[in-house]
């Protein structure tokens, strides 16, 4: 599937994120992806906490991750994010690349839905904030 990245965030692996094998524990990749989504929101002038305080919650409905190459302590990487709105789903295509060689680490799709005051909505107001 082809998509256009609209945000990217560089990060570095910390020692405590690695398992006994010396590679990043699989659960930490979800933390990287979530942090990148929150930074994406901030880059659009949208605070995840402020959205919640105003009654809008974007919640993860599903996550699909394909692991390609492991990261190790001290590795630098970039999370690139693309966004699509399809019906009730807000779809984030997020790929992690090791730096500087840009080797694919993880390919992920995160589907979220939007609740406004506890009720499922299409989240059109959220989409307007994200697509600038």
């Amino acid at each position: 599937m082809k998509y256009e990245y609209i945000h990217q965030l560089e990060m570095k692996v910390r020692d405590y994120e690695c398992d006994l094998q010396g590679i990043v524990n699989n659960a930490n990749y979800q933390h990287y992806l979530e942090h990148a989504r929150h930074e994406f929101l901030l880059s659009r002038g949208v605070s995840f906490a402020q959205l919640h305080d105003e009654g809008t919650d974007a919640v993860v409905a599903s996550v699909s991750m394909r692991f390609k190459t492991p990261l190790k302590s001290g590795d630098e990487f970039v999370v690139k994010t693309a966004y699509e709105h399809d019906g009730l789903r807000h779809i984030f295509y997020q790929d992690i690349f090791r730096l500087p060689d840009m080797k694919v680490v993880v390919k992920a799709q995160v589907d979220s839905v939007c609740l406004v005051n506890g009720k499922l909505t299409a989240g059109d107001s959220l989409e307007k904030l994200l697509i600038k």
Side-chain angles (χ1 to χ4, degrees):
M1 167 178 268
K2 283 279 196 188
Y3 41 82
E4 183 178 332
Y5 299 116
I6 56 177
H7 183 262
Q8 67 179 34
L9 178 67
E10 291 186 16
M11 292 189 267
K12 185 175 182 178
V13 174
R14 296 161 289 208
D15 293 338
Y16 66 85
E17 297 169 329
C18 298
D19 58 23
L20 290 174
Q21 298 167 326
I23 60 175
V24 171
N25 180 278
N26 67 82
N28 285 311
Y29 292 101
Q30 285 197 53
H31 292 273
Y32 300 154
L33 298 174
E34 183 168 7
H35 182 63
R37 288 193 307 279
H38 284 218
E39 290 294 319
F40 166 61
L41 288 173
L42 288 172
S43 77
R44 298 298 197 257
V46 181
S47 161
F48 195 75
Q50 181 182 355
L51 282 174
H52 171 76
D53 290 345
E54 294 171 356
T56 299
D57 291 301
V59 296
V60 172
S62 68
V63 177
S64 172
M65 297 170 58
R66 293 185 313 275
F67 299 93
K68 303 294 187 177
T69 302
L71 289 172
K72 297 178 181 178
S73 181
D75 281 350
E76 294 182 359
F77 61 96
V78 61
V79 180
K80 294 190 175 199
T81 302
Y83 170 79
E84 174 181 56
H85 186 196
D86 181 25
L88 294 176
R89 296 182 311 151
H90 296 266
I91 305 165
F92 295 89
Y93 301 100
Q94 293 185 280
D95 299 328
I96 299 175
F97 300 91
R98 184 176 62 200
L99 295 173
D101 64 1
M102 294 302 289
K103 187 154 187 167
V104 177
V105 173
V106 169
K107 296 192 74 57
Q109 178 178 324
V110 180
D111 294 358
S112 66
V113 294
C114 191
L115 303 173
V116 176
N117 298 318
K119 296 183 181 181
L120 184 64
T121 72
D124 293 331
S125 60
L126 178 62
E127 181 185 28
K128 288 177 187 170
L129 295 172
L130 297 179
I131 302 301
K132 290 186 176 186

